[in-house]
């Protein structure tokens, strides 16, 4: 399958500058860049979709330049509905380091950074070229290259300054010029002439294309992928919707993380109608493998074959094959109706504790639920208990107790914690 064919098959096609996708197959320059601002200390599965598109290009011989926006992250990509809060330099620096590691892991696969280097990954930070930039020089070179008419016509500007809009600061208004200069810089230094992005960033890509044409007399292109929309709820996968699934599996200080177990469960619990769409985006399975999985699923939907393949594949991409296998096995054990939780040995529980939250024996059940995030407050924890949503070693608990023995506590259908 050619690159153009795979992009179409996986759904990585939105607005772009090409007359036909086939131009990508024989493109002379096979260098691209994709960027992410450090607005949090973890990327989400919304960002992951764009990274999976990047990985698709890499598999077809393209050289990746992945940008962490240490400069743009200090300004904030304009939202449709209001100004972003400015982040401190220390927070931006912390976030950069965290998401850089995640990017390298996804592109490099299970070998992480070493394999990322083997595929020619170059990581860049736009703070490196903006930190010493002269403001007047920027205005003379970049500012003079844009008319106000061009900028005011941008959709996000229209929404912010139109009737009922919240207005826009000069800083956020200038964001598109800063990102446009990123593309110009990478073109000049590395010969990068293709930018990949999510569909919501295509306007900012156009700024870079405009600069390269105006100042270098050269052609540059952009290729965008649609934002991933939950097929059932119609909501985006991302921070702004309040339904973020994070790539970080442990807390980097902000609480922005999703355990590997919960990450796997998120995909495992997708509706039948969502899986054919998501499995193409979030796994490395081939077209032939996907079609076989979907056919087998159609014959026996109750076995949830496609959900299991999606969960394993997405978890393997982000957390590695070994973790995916471990969670697959753990899930099979925990959800087997014949499993007697009280029969697990200390060694088995220690193995489970690598992927499930853990509390010490003697902890009050209410405190255990709150401290592990299974309940947002003691009040909610008590409601879960009185409502029959909590079991200890497979036995429902309807009153507040102290868990004094080694146990597996279950909340609802798929939330667990270990007491040991």
């Amino acid at each position: 399958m050619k690159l153009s064919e795979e992009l179409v098959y996986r759904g990585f096609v939105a607005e772009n500058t090409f007359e036909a996708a086939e131009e990508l197959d024989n493109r002379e320059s096979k260098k691209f860049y994709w960027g992410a601002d450090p607005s949090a200390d973890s990327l989400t599965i919304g960002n992951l979709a764009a990274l999976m598109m990047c990985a698709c290009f890499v598999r077809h011989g393209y050289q990746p330049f992945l940008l962490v926006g240490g400069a743009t992250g200090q300004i904030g990509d304009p939202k449709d509905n209001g100004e972003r809060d400015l982040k401190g330099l220390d927070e931006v620096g912390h976030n950069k380091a965290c998401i850089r590691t995640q990017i390298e892991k996804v592109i490099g696969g299970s070998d992480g950074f070493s394999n990322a280097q083997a595929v020619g990954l170059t990581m860049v930070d736009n703070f490196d070229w903006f930190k010493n930039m002269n403001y007047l020089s920027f205005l003379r070179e970049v500012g003079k290259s844009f008319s106000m008419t061009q900028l005011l016509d941008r959709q996000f500007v229209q929404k912010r300054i139109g009737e009922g809009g919240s207005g826009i600061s000069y800083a956020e208004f200038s964001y598109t010029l800063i990102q446009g200069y990123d593309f110009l810089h990478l073109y000049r230094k590395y010969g990068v002439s293709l930018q990949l992005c999510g569909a919501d960033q295509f306007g900012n890509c156009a700024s870079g294309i405009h600069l390269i044409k105006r100042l270098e007399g050269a052609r540059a292109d952009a290729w965008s992928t649609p934002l991933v929309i939950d097929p059932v709820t119609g909501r985006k996968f991302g921070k702004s919707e309040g339904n973020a699934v994070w790539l970080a599996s442990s807390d980097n200080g902000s609480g922005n993380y999703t355990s590997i177990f919960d990450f796997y469960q998120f995909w495992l619990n997708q509706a039948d109608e969502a899986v054919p769409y998501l499995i193409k985006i979030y796994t490395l399975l081939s077209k032939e493998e996907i079609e076989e999985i979907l056919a087998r699923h159609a014959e026996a939907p109750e076995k949830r074959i496609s959900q299991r393949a999606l969960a394993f594949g997405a978890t393997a991409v982000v957390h590695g094959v070994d973790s995916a296998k471990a969670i697959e096995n753990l899930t099979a054990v925990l959800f087997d109706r014949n499993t007697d939780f009280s029969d697990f040995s200390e060694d088995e529980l220690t193995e489970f504790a690598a992927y499930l939250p853990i509390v010490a024996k003697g902890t009050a059940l209410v405190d255990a639920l709150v401290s592990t995030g299974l309940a947002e407050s003691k009040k909610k924890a008590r409601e879960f208990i009185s409502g029959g949503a909590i079991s200890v070693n497979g036995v429902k608990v309807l009153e507040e107790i102290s868990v004094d023995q080694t146990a597996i506590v279950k909340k609802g259908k798929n939330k667990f914690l270990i007491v040991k």
Side-chain angles (χ1 to χ4, degrees):
M1 188 183 297
K2 295 179 179 179
L3 171 59
S4 59
E5 296 169 333
E6 186 168 2
L7 292 172
V8 171
Y9 175 71
R10 295 191 183 274
F12 294 140
V13 182
E15 195 171 1
N16 61 77
T17 57
F18 298 93
E19 291 186 5
E22 289 76 14
E23 292 179 43
L24 290 167
D25 299 329
N26 301 306
R27 187 177 171 84
E28 184 176 344
S29 172
K30 291 199 171 184
K31 296 179 180 180
F32 73 83
Y33 103 87
W34 174 82
D37 281 347
S39 56
D41 58 7
S42 176
L43 300 174
T44 70
I45 58 172
N47 305 118
L48 178 60
L51 275 173
M52 294 300 284
M53 175 181 65
C54 293
C56 185
F57 275 80
V58 171
R59 291 195 299 274
H60 288 273
Y62 276 72
Q63 182 182 353
F65 290 76
L66 302 186
L67 181 149
V68 178
T72 40
Q74 294 181 38
I75 303 301
D77 188 12
K79 300 183 295 183
D80 287 342
N81 57 359
E83 290 282 312
R84 294 183 183 272
D85 293 330
L86 292 177
K87 296 188 178 299
L89 297 185
D90 289 344
E91 183 181 0
V92 170
H94 167 74
N95 292 352
K96 281 195 305 184
C98 294
I99 67 173
R100 182 183 183 115
T101 300
Q102 294 171 359
I103 291 171
E104 290 171 342
K105 179 68 180 293
V106 171
I107 295 298
S110 59
D111 293 329
F113 178 74
S114 60
N115 196 51
Q117 292 300 98
V119 300
L121 170 65
T122 300
M123 292 290 297
V124 295
D125 180 351
N126 58 15
F127 184 69
D128 290 339
W129 53 85
F130 274 110
K131 61 184 176 183
N132 296 319
M133 178 166 286
N134 181 284
Y135 180 62
L136 291 178
S137 297
F138 182 79
L139 287 180
R140 287 176 64 86
E141 182 174 33
V142 179
K144 270 291 191 179
S145 298
F146 289 87
S147 72
M148 287 298 294
T149 302
Q150 283 178 291
L151 299 176
L152 289 170
D153 280 344
R154 296 290 172 87
Q155 185 177 25
F156 77 88
V157 175
Q158 290 293 318
K159 288 183 178 180
R160 293 278 288 275
I161 67 174
E163 185 176 351
S166 61
I168 187 168
S169 68
Y170 176 72
E172 288 197 6
F173 181 76
S174 302
Y175 181 94
T176 191
L177 303 187
I178 300 173
Q179 192 181 119
Y181 185 83
D182 289 341
F183 201 173
L184 176 66
H185 176 84
L186 294 174
Y187 175 82
R188 286 172 169 172
K189 184 169 183 178
Y190 299 106
V192 176
S193 59
L194 174 63
Q195 183 176 358
L196 306 185
C197 65
D200 60 337
Q201 289 294 309
F202 190 81
N204 290 327
C205 294
S207 295
I209 292 169
H210 173 77
L211 279 176
I212 291 169
K213 180 178 180 180
R214 184 179 178 94
L215 299 179
E216 300 296 319
R219 174 179 170 173
D221 292 291
W223 183 277
S224 70
T225 186
L227 301 183
V228 179
I229 304 297
D230 186 317
V232 176
T233 67
R235 298 168 65 196
K236 289 191 305 181
F237 285 165
K239 301 189 294 293
S240 62
E241 294 291 326
N243 61 342
V245 176
W246 304 95
L247 303 195
S249 61
S250 57
D251 193 355
N252 288 316
S254 65
N256 296 330
Y257 72 97
T258 300
S259 72
I260 303 177
F261 181 82
D262 287 343
F263 188 87
Y264 183 94
Q265 300 306 316
F266 171 81
W267 301 110
L268 188 63
N269 287 300
Q270 292 298 315
D272 283 354
E273 60 266 34
V275 177
Y277 165 66
L278 296 173
I279 199 170
K280 296 172 185 176
I281 297 172
Y282 287 106
T283 76
L284 297 175
L285 294 166
S286 68
K287 179 180 179 181
E288 292 73 23
E289 289 171 323
I290 291 172
E291 289 178 348
E292 179 187 355
I293 288 166
L294 295 179
R296 289 168 52 209
H297 179 95
E299 293 174 358
E302 71 281 359
K303 294 182 179 179
R304 299 181 68 76
I305 293 170
S306 61
Q307 282 91 344
R308 297 207 310 269
L310 169 62
F312 185 91
T315 304
V317 164
V318 177
H319 299 295
V321 173
D322 289 344
S323 289
K325 288 179 178 178
I327 296 298
E328 183 179 53
N329 293 334
L330 177 58
T331 297
V333 169
L334 292 178
F335 290 96
D336 187 335
R337 293 180 180 178
N338 297 318
T339 296
D340 185 343
F341 290 167
S342 62
D343 287 344
F344 288 123
S345 68
E346 285 284 340
D347 287 344
E348 287 174 315
L349 289 176
T350 298
E351 183 179 340
F352 296 168
Y355 300 102
L356 297 174
I358 184 171
V359 298
K361 286 188 285 188
T363 302
L365 182 56
V366 167
D367 293 333
L369 294 172
V370 173
S371 66
T372 56
L374 269 65
E376 59 190 35
S377 67
K378 288 188 176 183
K379 179 181 178 181
K380 290 297 293 185
R382 294 186 179 104
E383 289 177 2
F384 289 142
I385 293 170
S386 63
I390 306 298
S391 64
V392 177
N393 279 345
V395 179
K396 279 191 177 181
V397 176
L398 298 174
E399 59 185 18
E400 295 182 42
I401 62 171
S402 173
V403 187
D404 299 319
Q405 79 274 27
T406 299
I408 294 180
V409 177
K410 182 179 181 181
K411 183 198 114 177
K413 293 183 178 180
N414 60 0
K415 296 289 186 180
F416 298 86
L417 67 87
I418 304 288
V419 180
K420 68 185 295 286

